[in-house]
Amino acid sequence: MTERRIAILGGSFDPPHLGHAAIARAALDAGADQVIWMPAAASPFKQARPPAPALDRWAMVVLATLDEPRFVASRAELDRPPPSFSIETAIRLRAEIAAPHATLWWIVGADHLAEIGRWHRVEDLVQLLRLAVVPRHDLRDAALLEAIERLPERIRSAVEVLPMPVVALSSTEIRRQVRQTGELPARAVVSGVSQYIARYGLYRADRPAGAPASAQAGPAEHAATAAGSDLGSQRAEGVEERIMDQLVRELPRARLEHVLGVAGTAAELAERFGADPGKARIAGLLHDIVRVWPPERLLAACQERGLAVAGFDLEHPLVRLHGLLASHLAEEWFGIKDPDVKAAIASHTLGRPQMSRLERILYVADYCEPGRGPQAEDVRLAARDDLDAAVRLVMDRTIAYLLEQGRAIHPLAVEARNAFLEDSVRAGLTKKS
Ligand SMILES: [Fe+2]
Ligand SMILES: [Fe+2]
């Protein structure tokens, strides 16, 4: 079996631009199987808070990585209290992401070469990973090789140059231009990032950083497509970009953060448990797409589409119908016909008997995405190696919570749990005490 090679591209990503994409592509060209884009909570070398809040930088990194399946957005550093040190991240990555024999490349800008010797525990760090140095206009070719030669021997042997042309773009320059002119420079960021910056008015002088943009365009046009059911071809047609565009336009930021968290967690779980990460991510992006609609609008939209609504759903439309409707809209708006993706979206709140692997993944991801905080930690732990243990925990927790709150329980939640217990007994997974 060939050794996996994983490159890590850290940074503030404020905003992520085409220069970052060029570096990530160069890492793929140099043989990386995957490039993990890892926004930092704050750089240990720049103590000032970055101008855009972590949520915005995270959302933009998700947008910047959508159209390349070998690009992965990671919150591994973002959720840690600053300052974050590479060594601790490297230890965790070794343990959690990379198999023991994988090669890890940490991508660093040539401008950091001079300070590498001062990095916290750098000798330990270079035991865990290799450093891939990106050339810059004032430090490239022979000058860059000389700078590497000047490093202490134990560090030098872990350093290599990432072959690529010098990229002139900088986040600082992009922010400055938006602040001064209100416009992004041409060909600086991918279209999703550009839409996001405009939508939320990031970096503009006339709006405090992170404040939501006020007036928004009217309802989005939903051009139904004739796309087939193959998600691989849909990726090529930019379906994820159209979904993100819709999400950015319609969702309040807290909900957007949740959705991005679910999409990322679902893709990770799919990778871990042998499901399709692309399908998991799409299901995650779409699962709450109408979650903020008022109940009357949900009911009307369900009825328009001939979805029979009765009993509990009529009394409490939000609980289940937002998922059911979202699974229909996945096809109607975005041409997604994949039955497993649609089922996962439809069953994400309550589960159902005989859930597929993808359905179980989305069900768990919705509960334990990073934004859910420390109370979901035991589900995250269970989901590290036992998907069904995590499903069981989520089912129990949800029902216990509703009981505690004195709230009504959807009969499907009870039915799903009963069926799950029976299946577990049948599979010999539950030991009688
Ligand atoms: Fe939901
Ligand atoms: Fe959700």
Side-chain angles (χ1 to χ4, degrees), residues 82-105:
S84 46
F85 286 111
S86 314
I87 180 69
E88 288 149 22
T89 309
I91 291 169
R92 283 191 308 129
L93 283 176
R94 269 268 163 245
E96 291 170 19
I97 299 179
H101 302 297
T103 301
L104 281 183
W105 280 329

Side-chain angles (χ1 to χ4, degrees), residues 255 258-259 262 284 287-288 291 322 348 366-367 369 372:
R255 181 61 54 179
H258 164 68
V259 161
V262 173
H287 83 286
D288 273 352
R291 177 67 182 74
H322 76 278
H348 81 263
D366 190 28
Y367 192 90
E369 58 95 4
R372 297 290 198 192

Side-chain angles (χ1 to χ4, degrees), residues 291-371:
R291 177 67 182 74
V292 295
W293 284 14
E296 315 77 58
R297 188 177 176 195
L298 270 179
L299 278 172
C302 286
Q303 276 149 6
E304 263 170 42
R305 286 162 183 82
L307 302 172
V309 178
F312 192 100
D313 290 328
L314 215 44
E315 297 290 314
H316 309 273
L318 275 181
V319 175
R320 186 177 75 105
L321 295 185
H322 76 278
L324 187 65
L325 181 62
S327 85
H328 279 255
L329 296 178
E331 180 165 352
E332 193 176 312
W333 290 354
F334 304 105
I336 289 165
K337 297 188 165 102
D338 187 291
D340 204 14
V341 171
K342 291 177 68 177
I345 296 169
S347 67
H348 81 263
T349 321
L350 302 171
R352 66 176 183 103
Q354 279 83 52
M355 280 192 279
S356 73
R357 188 173 303 177
L358 191 68
E359 286 182 83
R360 284 176 284 155
I361 283 170
L362 186 63
Y363 180 74
V364 169
D366 190 28
Y367 192 90
C368 75
E369 58 95 4

